[in-house]
Amino acid sequence: MPRALASSRRARPAQLAPPAARQAAASPLLPPGLLERLLAEAMGRGADFAEVYVERTSTTAVVLEEQRIRSAQVGLVQGVGVRVIAGAKVGYAYSDDWDEAALLRAARTAAMIAQGGGSERAYPVKRVPVPSHYRVGQPLEDVAVARKTALLTRADKASRAFDSRIQQVNASYVDQTRRIAVANTTGRFSEDTQDQSRMSVHVVALGKNGERRTGMYGSGGRVSFSYWDGVTPESVAEEAARQAIATLGAVDCVAGPQTVVLAPGWSGILLHEAVGHGLEADFIRKGTSLFAGKLGEKVASELVTVIDDGTVSSARGSINIDDEGVPGERKVLIENGVLKGYLYDQLNAKLMNQRSTGSGRRESFKSLPLPRMTNTFLAPGDHAPEDILKEVKRGLYCATFGGGQVDISNGNFVFEVSEAYQIEDGKLGRPVKNAILIGVGPEALKNISRVGCDPMPDPGMGICVKDGQMLPVGVGLPTVRIDNVTVGGTKVG
């Protein structure tokens, strides 16, 4: 698909948010009249569709290292992006200058890139109501930075108090108050305010003979600052410390095919990467996904139902509207093992004669929207988690995952397991190190033989990267048993 990106002005780096910007937060980002003029300018050379995306995002980022606050930054980024679609051609231009003349130049630039036929008409827009899946009373940008830095100081203290073997603690806190407005030539005009808060703690434990083990944990979501009264910095820090201490004395992982049991919650990252990306419509349309052309076919065990849901209350990946102004949805992608649907943004939906599923997301006004996941999880089954474990004579229990990578074209995945344990005669044994799961997404789905009745979302720390764009996402699953998984390790069984 031919696509171009142009800018009428280079975006400025994040800067201190002036009080005037906060006072203006309750007013419209851009008046409807100006949005209509920009749409008319964008369609001036003729096209099928034009869209104006407006964003103002304030961010606070605090970092603690070596028992000291190393940085505390507050910034404001704002800008306007204009997209024009003519057939399969896309023109996109953006500006961080909100002067009307600069915005009109951006609209003309996008129109010239798309190069449609000539047209002159008005494109009135009407504000539409949006759902509310998250409600934050006090915007996070209005909370004093000192209160946010205090969270990290408490986390550092709690990590070190957990065990004397905790030698190093790094912690970070990031929040955003993001306001967006989207108007397009269908007449739709919608706005949303998206607050997001996240804290993470990374620790290093030092054991006998200089052995070093790490632990990492985080939490957050589309929540108010009072969230940290319940999910305290101490609880986040103690879980990170627990992981590091629990894996001291770990033995080498045995390589070879094994029965693997996934812990509930964060293990859903495996589902997100190995399956979810392959169901995004751009990969489907281009035929580069292993799931292309398989609607209605059995692609997984009958125990497997995969759902992407942008409507989960206050979850990290939830959206009232996506970044094309379409309301978030609950989408059943795989039902009882049968492939039921894909994730569509507006462009790919149009080219594939489908409708958008509210999956068009972008990192900022400088980015084109892409079909992306929101909160992706495996529906619960009927098996008790303790029974799933008891049935395994010998295998690997994966408690926490680290990094991983997936090839969308063939489904091949490789995932590092940061906290794992031997399973022997239905019980957890010694911790193991250097465990890696290797496989093919659809094959792993077909080898799922038990799905627990204990669904659990991740704690709210997921970040997904696609085409260089980073977005918050959620994952989750119950306890799951997968048979015949190739495990990479440092010891021959």
Side-chain angles (χ1 to χ4, degrees):
M1 177 188 68
R3 187 171 70 182
L5 177 67
S7 169
S8 65
R9 182 173 178 180
R10 293 181 62 85
R12 292 188 291 266
Q15 51 195 287
L16 290 180
R22 297 175 184 268
Q23 294 170 1
S27 61
L29 290 174
L30 283 184
L34 178 53
L35 292 172
E36 292 172 354
R37 290 193 292 277
L38 294 175
L39 289 172
E41 193 72 41
M43 296 291 284
R45 289 176 172 260
D48 303 323
F49 175 85
E51 166 196 86
V52 177
Y53 174 84
V54 189
E55 176 192 1
R56 174 181 283 133
T57 298
S58 62
T59 303
T60 300
V62 186
V63 176
L64 178 145
E65 295 176 351
E66 299 176 352
Q67 299 181 272
R68 296 177 58 187
I69 299 297
R70 289 296 182 186
S71 64
Q73 300 177 332
V74 179
L76 173 70
V77 173
Q78 59 183 23
V80 178
V82 182
R83 180 171 59 150
V84 179
I85 300 175
K89 294 187 295 184
V90 179
Y92 192 77
Y94 63 83
S95 173
D96 66 347
D97 187 339
W98 288 40
D99 179 75
E100 182 173 345
L103 298 180
L104 288 170
R105 284 197 301 272
R108 285 193 294 271
T109 301
M112 287 188 289
I113 295 170
Q115 288 292 333
S119 172
E120 256 188 64
R121 55 165 287 195
Y123 294 91
V125 297
K126 182 179 179 180
R127 190 188 304 271
V128 296
V130 300
S132 179
H133 304 303
Y134 35 84
R135 188 180 301 277
V136 174
Q138 180 186 25
L140 291 169
E141 64 181 349
D142 292 341
V143 177
V145 177
R147 295 179 64 191
K148 302 171 183 179
T149 61
L151 296 178
L152 300 189
T153 302
R154 288 167 56 188
D156 178 79
K157 183 178 179 180
S159 297
R160 296 177 186 279
F162 184 85
D163 194 287
S164 61
R165 290 169 290 180
I166 299 296
Q167 298 294 302
Q168 183 178 336
V169 180
N170 295 329
S172 65
Y173 172 90
V174 178
D175 69 34
Q176 285 187 339
T177 297
R178 181 175 183 248
R179 294 191 66 212
I180 64 171
V182 188
N184 62 43
T185 48
T186 69
R188 186 180 185 90
F189 170 36
S190 50
E191 294 183 292
D192 192 26
T193 299
Q194 301 170 341
D195 282 271
Q196 184 78 252
S197 178
R198 179 181 187 267
M199 178 171 58
S200 61
V201 179
H202 182 277
V203 306
V204 177
L206 186 64
K208 296 179 180 179
N209 302 318
E211 179 191 9
R212 298 169 66 87
R213 301 297 296 171
T214 63
M216 195 281 288
Y217 193 67
S219 190
R222 297 201 183 281
V223 295
S224 63
F225 194 73
S226 61
Y227 174 83
W228 303 110
D229 294 335
V231 180
T232 64
E234 288 78 11
S235 66
V236 174
E238 287 167 2
E239 172 57 19
R242 183 206 63 76
Q243 292 177 19
I245 296 300
T247 54
L248 284 172
V251 298
D252 290 329
C253 181
V254 176
Q258 295 190 45
T259 296
V260 168
V261 177
L262 306 181
W266 180 240
S267 299
I269 191 64
L270 180 67
L271 183 73
H272 171 102
E273 294 288 355
V275 179
H277 279 300
L279 299 177
E280 292 168 340
D282 48 353
F283 298 128
I284 298 299
R285 181 175 62 81
K286 297 171 186 176
T288 56
S289 169
L290 200 62
F291 293 103
K294 293 187 177 181
L295 277 178
E297 296 184 16
K298 187 174 182 181
V299 296
S301 160
E302 62 185 16
L303 301 175
V304 172
T305 294
V306 178
I307 297 167
D308 186 86
D309 191 353
T311 70
V312 180
S313 177
S314 301
R316 182 166 168 79
S318 292
I319 49 174
N320 290 330
I321 56 173
D322 70 3
D323 295 318
E324 298 179 305
V326 180
E329 292 185 9
R330 182 183 189 272
K331 292 86 62 181
V332 178
L333 303 175
I334 298 174
E335 186 174 26
N336 298 327
V338 177
L339 182 59
K340 292 292 186 178
Y342 303 123
L343 298 170
Y344 292 98
D345 63 332
Q346 287 188 326
L347 175 60
N348 286 283
K350 169 181 175 290
L351 296 174
M352 299 173 71
N353 197 29
Q354 300 290 329
R355 68 169 188 86
S356 170
T357 56
S359 305
R361 305 184 67 193
R362 65 182 105 196
E363 183 178 51
S364 78
F365 68 91
K366 294 181 282 186
S367 310
L368 282 163
L370 300 169
R372 304 289 296 270
M373 286 171 277
T374 54
N375 305 296
T376 310
F377 57 89
L378 184 70
D382 299 326
H383 298 92
E386 58 272 20
D387 291 340
I388 294 176
L389 191 63
K390 287 178 183 177
E391 293 175 351
V392 180
K393 183 171 181 60
R394 186 169 181 234
L396 184 72
Y397 184 82
C398 302
T400 306
F401 280 85
Q405 54 186 340
V406 178
D407 187 331
I408 299 298
S409 64
N410 54 31
N412 290 339
F413 64 80
V414 178
F415 277 93
E416 173 194 355
V417 187
S418 54
E419 182 185 2
Y421 299 87
Q422 296 173 337
I423 303 175
E424 295 182 354
D425 296 323
K427 297 180 180 180
L428 294 185
R430 297 187 64 180
V432 301
K433 58 185 178 182
N434 303 321
I436 298 174
L437 301 190
I438 304 168
V440 179
E443 289 184 8
L445 289 179
K446 291 176 181 177
N447 288 335
I448 290 178
S449 59
R450 297 288 187 274
V451 176
C453 59
D454 56 339
M456 182 183 295
D458 79 280
M461 56 183 180
I463 296 174
C464 176
V465 181
K466 177 179 176 180
D467 286 1
Q469 296 190 41
M470 294 198 318
L471 287 175
V473 295
V475 299
L477 45 64
T479 300
V480 172
R481 170 177 166 170
I482 310 177
D483 297 327
N484 199 33
V485 179
T486 299
V487 177
T490 52
K491 181 178 178 181
V492 178

